[in-house]
Amino acid sequence: MLDFIAQIPIAVWVKEFTDWLTEAFAFIFDPIKNQGGDFLDWTSDMLVLIPPIIVIIIVAVIAFFLTDKRIGLPIFTIVGLWLIYNQGLWEELVFTFTLVLIASLLSILIGIPVGILMSKSKTAEAIITPILDFMQTMPAFVYLIPAVAFFGIGMVPGIFASLIFATPPTVRFTNLGIRQVSRELVEASDAFGSTGSQKLFKVELPMAKSTIMAGINQTVMLALSMVVIASMIGAPGLGREIVSALQNANVGSGFVAGISIVILAIIIDRFTQNLNK
Amino acid sequence: MPVIKVEGLSKVFGKNVKESLKLLDDGMKKEEILKQTGDTVGVNRASFDVEAGEVFVIMGLSGSGKSTLVRLLNRLIEPSEGNVYVDGENLATMNKEDLRRVRREKLSMVFQNFGLFPHRTILENAEFGLEVQGVDKEDRKEKAKKSLEMVGLGNYINQLPEQLSGGMQQRVGLARALANDPTVLLMDEAFSALDPLIRKDMQDELLELQVAMKKTIIFITHDLDEALRIGDRIALMKDGSIVQIGTPEEILVNPANDYVERFVEDVDRSKVLTAEHIMKRPETINIEKHGPRVALERMREEGLSSIYVIDGKRNLKGYVTADDASEARKKEIRDINEILKTDVPTVGMDKPMQEIFEIIHDSPVPIAVVEDEKLKGIIVRGAVLAALAGENEVNIDA
Ligand SMILES: Nc1ncnc2c1ncn2[C@@H]1O[C@H](COP(=O)(O)OP(=O)(O)OP(=O)(O)O)[C@@H](O)[C@H]1O
Ligand SMILES: [Mg+2]
């Protein structure tokens, strides 16, 4: 009864479409793959060159000032980062951090303008909202497949997948933050003859700042989780430790890598939250 | 030329604007239109002029369209129909760039909940209008400071809005609006969020400032007392339409219809009515022609216990009492000057009734209303009481 139509070949269509995309846009994908890859390698190489002790001190000092000179977070960063170093995962940590940093920056760079567009146009909002829903509910692993098709394996596809997965919160919160600005303030800015961009930069964005920052915080956390998953397609870092621990059924090293990710996550989370204040 | 000229200005909120406007033409009411088309009539064919230096109050109950109307004046809300001329330029049809220029140079707005930017200091708030105009930093600081000093906030310039009380915040709102020296000040329930005492202070302050500034002010309020205090003219709105425009006196004394009358009913009339409204035509005798005999005769005829004495040019000379006059007749005194009393309580035509009430309280004779020493009328105690009680015994054609 339910079989009155033969199986619709959606999977085939999507595959064909992706193949076509890969080929047709190779002139875009290839440079990104190559130059982007080089850039990422170079960045992480540079970061690895900095002696861990200096990194730890710098991060702790920033934490100290970010949290209004309280010592909780600085102590946590010192102990946590030292532990990761102690477990011989420093290099992996740097790779993961680089990926998260670049992926988050790109997400923010794309997400905020899209969010602004959404807040200014009902049509844009109506079109973008379902796309965001789709992007966020699709299991994260699925993005790895086209990422590999477009960019091969390594860091670049990891960042691509992370972009798709982690950008929505920044878009949503930017839109929300701007729409939440009180009507009177928007009217005040219009009534004094602001142009659209004066209104945006002098009133709306400053007023929406804390909401946008909450979105950025979520984006960064999602980027971290995606970067770990992206190890399955060869992105280096802490995630790769977990993947190989899984393959070897090594509970111990899996746990150590997992703890390291948690430490990194907590530090990143507290940093982005406190930036907000 | 009026500073603001509004012609047939309408705003219909909804999807069937054309149809609703047509129904308005057919004289349909706001409620019926809502039922038929689902549209809300915000403002219905408003027309009025506001002259330079005038304080024009728009008053009405909640939902009557005041905020919509004032926002049509600077086009924060797009009109559905009609024209708004500011200094002869039609706002309704001008392009965005011109609109921005007019908003920057001619129209400033003060908001009900102050509309201050919480992330900016008081000074930065006051600078806003100049900042968007691109005035350079030093210059705009200077002007904003001056404006803040004018409203008495010179010492608070580096505070944030949340650090100030409501009254002070609204002063900042006023200073911000004045900083770019606009022609017209639009104030939408600017004092409604303040508690009553502060509100009164702000009204006084606005009036004081107005003496020096001579701005054209459009002031929205739902409070008749406030309207009467500060308005040169008042427009009363109901269901989007202006039902009456007039001076405070005209509105009070001569309400155009039941709606206005009901609105006006519970106002303390003593604040607005003046001597002119409650005086009566006086009974008099002429000092050049009449003696005590005539005076007594007149008083008897009219049932009075005293009568005013004037000369041929209606200049007030004094009064005589019935007692004195009958005494004089017995003593065969002919000259009225001998019994003339000159301790006459007099008031000018525009003396507010509240003050008349105090004078009449301990005066043995009716009060004389004079203009240029000429007797215009008299006020008896009964008329004051009647007017205070809101009875319609007031003298409209006075
Ligand atoms: N954006 C809008 N969309 C739809 N209807 C609106 C809108 N703004 C105002 N209205 C309607 O227009 C009418 C006039 O509203 P307006 O806010 O001008 O009244 P008001 O006299 O300022 O009242 P209040 O004293 O409550 O501020 C009301 O019926 C209101 O519901
Ligand atoms: Mg209103």
Side-chain angles (χ1 to χ4, degrees):
Chain A
M1 177 62 188
L2 289 172
D3 294 329
F4 66 100
I5 288 181
Q7 185 183 20
I8 305 170
I10 297 176
V12 175
W13 291 342
V14 172
K15 180 172 181 334
E16 277 171 3
F17 176 68
T18 312
D19 287 347
W20 173 80
L21 268 186
T22 312
E23 223 157 279
F25 289 91
F27 70 98
I28 295 177
F29 293 144
D30 288 345
I32 293 179
K33 179 165 70 184
N34 300 328
Q35 262 98 58
D38 288 348
F39 173 72
L40 288 167
D41 286 338
W42 179 81
T43 312
S44 45
D45 287 349
M46 294 316 272
L47 287 175
V48 169
L49 279 184
I50 308 172
I53 179 74
I54 293 185
V55 174
I56 293 176
I57 290 173
I58 292 175
V59 175
V61 168
I62 297 175
F64 181 67
F65 286 107
L66 266 185
T67 56
D68 284 334
K69 308 191 178 171
R70 264 170 293 199
I71 53 166
L73 188 59
I75 289 180
F76 179 83
T77 47
I78 292 171
V79 175
L81 292 178
W82 171 80
L83 185 69
I84 296 173
Y85 173 79
N86 174 265
Q87 295 299 309
L89 292 175
W90 186 261
E91 204 163 310
E92 282 72 19
L93 174 74
V94 171
F95 279 127
T96 300
F97 176 74
T98 309
L99 279 168
V100 171
L101 182 74
I102 304 295
S104 304
L105 284 179
L106 287 176
S107 286
I108 293 163
L109 233 55
I110 295 168
I112 290 181
V114 175
I116 292 170
L117 175 71
M118 235 172 127
S119 73
K120 294 286 167 193
S121 147
K122 274 201 177 128
T123 324
E125 193 184 32
I127 294 170
I128 295 171
T129 305
I131 298 177
L132 294 180
D133 293 340
F134 182 86
M135 283 161 72
Q136 274 187 300
T137 43
M138 177 72 78
F141 294 95
V142 178
Y143 297 128
L144 297 179
I145 306 164
V148 171
F150 297 153
F151 301 111
I153 58 166
M155 285 206 196
V156 177
I159 286 188
F160 173 79
S162 167
L163 262 186
I164 299 178
F165 188 62
T167 306
T170 296
V171 179
R172 277 186 212 278
F173 278 72
T174 302
N175 175 38
L176 180 73
I178 292 176
R179 283 182 186 271
Q180 268 177 346
V181 177
S182 92
R183 203 179 96 122
E184 233 186 37
L185 293 186
V186 176
E187 280 186 338
S189 129
D190 283 335
F192 283 99
S194 304
T195 60
S197 63
Q198 281 174 330
K199 179 165 70 173
L200 183 67
F201 289 108
K202 289 180 196 295
V203 178
E204 290 173 322
L205 286 180
M207 296 300 301
K209 188 182 138 218
S210 63
T211 309
I212 296 175
M213 286 305 296
I216 288 178
N217 174 266
Q218 285 196 16
T219 287
V220 177
M221 300 318 282
L222 287 181
L224 177 61
S225 76
M226 192 64 204
V227 158
V228 172
I229 295 170
S231 296
M232 300 196 339
I233 52 168
L238 294 167
R240 188 182 279 172
E241 292 302 304
I242 296 178
V243 172
S244 65
L246 189 63
Q247 279 157 359
N248 305 328
N250 187 338
V251 182
S253 61
F255 180 78
V256 171
I259 281 290
S260 303
I261 288 170
V262 171
I263 291 169
L264 179 62
I266 290 174
I267 294 174
I268 292 177
D269 179 54
R270 295 295 125 79
F271 265 59
T272 49
Q273 268 183 25
N274 280 296
L275 270 179
N276 201 353
K277 285 170 194 156
Chain B
M1 189 177 71
V3 172
I4 288 188
K5 184 176 183 61
V6 172
E7 275 178 357
L9 191 60
S10 298
K11 177 66 190 183
V12 173
F13 295 103
K15 296 194 171 122
N16 306 303
V17 175
K18 274 209 181 124
E19 196 188 335
S20 300
L21 286 171
K22 212 171 276 162
L23 293 177
L24 278 177
D25 277 334
D26 300 344
M28 223 186 225
K29 296 231 175 69
K30 175 172 168 161
E31 264 173 49
E32 298 163 338
I33 290 177
L34 180 64
K35 248 186 224 151
Q36 186 150 341
T37 66
D39 287 359
T40 307
V41 177
V43 171
N44 176 15
R45 306 286 148 74
S47 295
F48 57 87
D49 292 351
V50 183
E51 301 295 332
E54 195 176 16
V55 180
F56 188 81
V57 172
I58 298 170
M59 183 177 66
L61 298 173
S62 183
S64 57
K66 310 178 296 286
S67 295
T68 307
L69 179 54
V70 78
R71 279 164 178 72
L72 288 171
L73 298 185
N74 60 359
R75 226 172 105 185
L76 284 178
I77 294 177
E78 286 292 328
S80 306
E81 204 178 74
N83 300 310
V84 179
Y85 297 93
V86 177
D87 276 344
E89 286 183 284
N90 192 350
L91 235 75
T93 55
M94 67 175 47
N95 63 31
K96 280 196 172 163
E97 209 164 306
D98 285 335
L99 177 63
R100 253 197 316 271
R101 173 178 52 77
V102 172
R103 283 173 174 174
R104 286 176 177 183
E105 290 169 8
K106 301 205 166 148
L107 304 165
S108 278
M109 193 158 180
V110 181
F111 294 86
Q112 177 164 7
N113 299 305
F114 321 138
L116 299 181
F117 305 117
H119 59 289
R120 293 173 148 244
T121 64
I122 300 309
L123 183 64
E124 287 165 349
N125 263 287
E127 275 177 47
F128 187 81
L130 298 163
E131 190 179 322
V132 299
Q133 284 183 37
V135 175
D136 68 56
K137 222 172 188 171
E138 290 308 309
D139 210 15
R140 72 182 189 230
K141 244 185 199 162
E142 189 82 4
K143 285 182 177 160
K145 259 187 203 159
K146 235 183 232 159
S147 185
L148 283 166
E149 272 158 22
M150 217 158 61
V151 298
L153 288 178
N155 295 327
Y156 296 86
I157 57 174
N158 292 320
Q159 310 258 40
L160 288 173
E162 60 179 14
Q163 292 171 291
L164 305 189
S165 70
M168 288 159 98
Q169 289 190 30
Q170 193 55 300
R171 276 168 221 257
V172 179
L174 195 56
R176 177 177 66 180
L178 293 174
N180 50 352
D181 196 27
T183 321
V184 179
L185 214 53
L186 305 172
M187 305 180 73
D188 185 11
E189 306 235 15
F191 302 151
S192 298
L194 304 173
D195 66 56
L197 280 180
I198 297 187
R199 188 169 178 174
K200 233 176 204 155
D201 286 347
M202 291 294 287
Q203 292 166 358
D204 289 342
E205 199 167 319
L206 181 69
L207 289 175
E208 232 166 80
L209 281 171
Q210 174 64 356
V211 172
M213 306 182 306
K214 295 256 184 298
K215 299 277 178 219
T216 305
I217 300 179
I218 313 275
F219 193 100
I220 311 292
T221 181
H222 60 252
D223 176 18
L224 185 59
D225 274 335
E226 187 167 70
L228 297 172
R229 261 173 82 91
I230 66 173
D232 293 327
R233 278 191 305 150
I234 299 172
L236 250 146
M237 288 190 81
K238 185 196 182 207
D239 293 344
S241 306
I242 294 182
V243 288
Q244 187 174 9
I245 299 182
T247 62
E249 279 86 351
E250 281 165 1
I251 299 253
L252 276 188
V253 173
N254 205 357
N257 60 27
D258 284 358
Y259 174 76
V260 181
E261 191 154 14
R262 245 176 294 131
F263 211 106
V264 164
E265 236 160 30
D266 49 29
V267 174
D268 189 352
R269 288 176 162 237
S270 62
K271 282 184 201 151
V272 207
L273 293 182
T274 61
E276 190 178 3
H277 297 119
I278 50 173
M279 69 188 187
K280 282 201 202 165
R281 197 179 60 77
E283 291 298 327
T284 54
I285 54 167
N286 189 328
I287 197 165
E288 291 154 11
K289 292 190 252 172
H290 303 136
R293 253 189 113 97
V294 178
L296 199 59
E297 202 57 36
R298 278 275 162 84
M299 284 187 268
R300 236 182 235 149
E301 269 169 32
E302 304 291 335
L304 304 171
S305 61
S306 63
I307 193 163
Y308 275 102
V309 181
I310 55 175
D311 66 14
K313 292 176 184 147
R314 289 198 75 83
N315 285 323
L316 179 63
K317 290 297 170 186
Y319 70 93
V320 297
T321 64
D323 290 350
D324 288 351
S326 90
E327 193 80 0
R329 208 180 66 150
K330 271 186 214 150
K331 291 182 185 163
E332 305 249 342
I333 297 172
R334 290 278 173 88
D335 188 354
I336 197 117
N337 278 307
E338 287 206 41
I339 55 167
L340 186 70
K341 288 195 165 141
T342 51
D343 57 330
V344 190
T346 61
V347 296
M349 299 275 270
D350 52 9
K351 190 77 156 178
M353 208 168 65
Q354 206 164 26
E355 291 165 44
I356 297 172
F357 191 68
E358 281 154 24
I359 300 169
I360 209 162
H361 193 67
D362 37 40
S363 162
V365 289
I367 296 179
V369 182
V370 293
E371 196 179 49
D372 300 327
E373 303 201 5
K374 291 191 171 49
L375 182 64
K376 292 291 186 183
I378 60 164
I379 299 171
V380 296
R381 199 180 297 180
V384 181
L385 293 175
L388 277 177
E391 285 165 30
N392 260 354
E393 229 182 78
V394 284
N395 201 356
I396 293 161
D397 43 22

